[in-house]
Amino acid sequence: GHFLGVPWIINPMVGTAILFLLGWLAKETWNETSGKVSMILGAFCPFLIMQSASYMNHPSVVLAFLLSLFCLYKISISPIIFGAFLGGTVAWSNTIRPLDGGFIAIVVFFLLLGKFPRDRTPLRGLVAALFGFLAVIGLNLLYNQAVAGTPFLTPYEYVWSDQITFSFGSPNPF
């Protein structure tokens, strides 16, 4: 969006991808009617509408979570490929919003462990997910190093460190 001069187009495109992915997941999990109903409900969801019309990063994390669920659903087909993408999407959510990414990682981990009694392929998928996670986190650390001079300081914190506060404008208690 920035390269084309229309940065506002990113979140509406992410919101559209969320709708289609939500509909696909509902259709595959339950039935086609559920998929259509979930897309209709998603299209009228105030959170999705408002966030898709903003510059905030909430839709990106929702998309990363839904992509994680998609990879988790498909992991039995190809544990190595979808496992690596699963780890990558969880790490992607962690690079966007670290606390949300941590919660997503916990949920995905337990859902993956829940597949073990029925299917043994998730073990290979779990190893692939670990490598995918480490690869994306490693790239993020290299990016932080290149931009901010240290791998553990994000560029946002590097540029706006004097304006970062805890919660809604309150001073940082730490």
Side-chain angles (χ1 to χ4, degrees), residues 68 71 82-92 125 128-134 136:
S68 298
C71 292
F82 285 108
F85 281 125
L86 174 65
T89 56
V90 170
W92 177 42
L130 180 63
F131 281 111
F133 182 85
L134 291 175
V136 172

Side-chain angles (χ1 to χ4, degrees), residues 59-129:
S60 301
V61 175
V62 173
L63 181 64
F65 179 64
L66 290 176
L67 285 172
S68 298
L69 292 180
F70 170 78
C71 292
L72 193 62
Y73 185 80
K74 292 286 192 176
I75 201 164
S76 296
I77 295 170
S78 177
I80 304 298
I81 293 172
F82 285 108
F85 281 125
L86 174 65
T89 56
V90 170
W92 177 42
S93 67
N94 194 36
T95 61
I96 299 170
R97 295 179 62 88
L99 189 60
D100 293 347
F103 288 132
I104 289 171
I106 290 169
V107 168
V108 167
F109 179 73
F110 282 115
L111 287 174
L112 189 60
L113 285 182
K115 287 176 148 287
F116 274 116
R118 294 172 281 160
D119 190 3
R120 291 289 176 201
T121 57
L123 182 59
R124 291 185 296 170
L126 184 63
V127 172

Side-chain angles (χ1 to χ4, degrees), residues 23-55:
W24 183 88
L25 284 168
K27 181 184 78 148
E28 291 297 317
T29 306
W30 294 287
N31 57 30
E32 191 166 340
T33 304
S34 297
K36 291 177 182 176
V37 168
S38 68
M39 285 181 73
I40 291 169
L41 288 174
F44 290 102
C45 173
F47 174 80
L48 189 60
I49 293 170
M50 297 304 248
Q51 292 303 316
S52 294
S54 73
Y55 285 111

